[in-house]
Amino acid sequence: MKKFFMIFRVVLAVLLIIIGIIGLIIPVFPTVPFLVLAAVVLGKKPSEVIKFFNWVSKNVQLHLKRIIRRFRKKRLKNHD
């Protein structure tokens, strides 16, 4: 029974990845939710996957904050 669920998880993850790749080609079709679901399906422990996504989102937020600060500084310098 374990082998069946392992094969099912892999097949499901591959289908989700294919749908995500189709989303790259078709502009209206979403990509990220399908790739996130594939990562969750393939993750050995859901807690590890959640920790990884929290780490990524935290680092992306920090990076975006830096970009916004630089933009504001340039805008203020150019505006004066």
Side-chain angles (χ1 to χ4, degrees), residues 7 9 13 27 30 37-38 44 48 52 54-57 59 68 72 75 78:
I7 293 171
R9 284 176 44 196
L37 282 173
K44 290 185 178 181
E48 291 177 2
F52 173 73
N54 288 338
W55 179 81
V56 169
S57 66
N59 287 328
I68 291 170
R72 286 182 179 170
R75 188 173 170 197
N78 292 337

Side-chain angles (χ1 to χ4, degrees), residues 44-55:
K44 290 185 178 181
K45 293 181 182 177
S47 61
E48 291 177 2
V49 176
I50 291 170
K51 284 180 187 177
F52 173 73
F53 284 116
N54 288 338
W55 179 81

Side-chain angles (χ1 to χ4, degrees), residues 15-27:
L15 288 173
L16 290 169
I17 291 171
I18 290 171
I19 293 170
I21 291 172
I22 291 171
L24 290 172
I25 298 168
I26 301 172

Side-chain angles (χ1 to χ4, degrees), residues 1-41:
M1 200 66 162
K2 283 186 178 183
K3 198 171 192 178
F4 170 75
F5 284 116
M6 186 177 73
I7 293 171
F8 178 73
R9 284 176 44 196
V10 171
V11 170
L12 180 62
V14 169
L15 288 173
L16 290 169
I17 291 171
I18 290 171
I19 293 170
I21 291 172
I22 291 171
L24 290 172
I25 298 168
I26 301 172
V28 181
F29 204 72
T31 301
V32 175
F34 293 107
L35 296 178
V36 169
L37 282 173
V40 170
V41 167

Side-chain angles (χ1 to χ4, degrees), residues 48-77:
E48 291 177 2
V49 176
I50 291 170
K51 284 180 187 177
F52 173 73
F53 284 116
N54 288 338
W55 179 81
V56 169
S57 66
K58 180 181 176 185
N59 287 328
V60 167
Q61 287 174 356
L62 291 174
H63 186 67
L64 287 175
K65 286 179 183 178
R66 286 187 209 130
I67 291 172
I68 291 170
R69 277 191 218 124
R70 286 184 204 147
F71 175 75
R72 286 182 179 170
K73 283 181 183 179
K74 285 182 182 180
R75 188 173 170 197
L76 287 174
K77 286 180 184 177

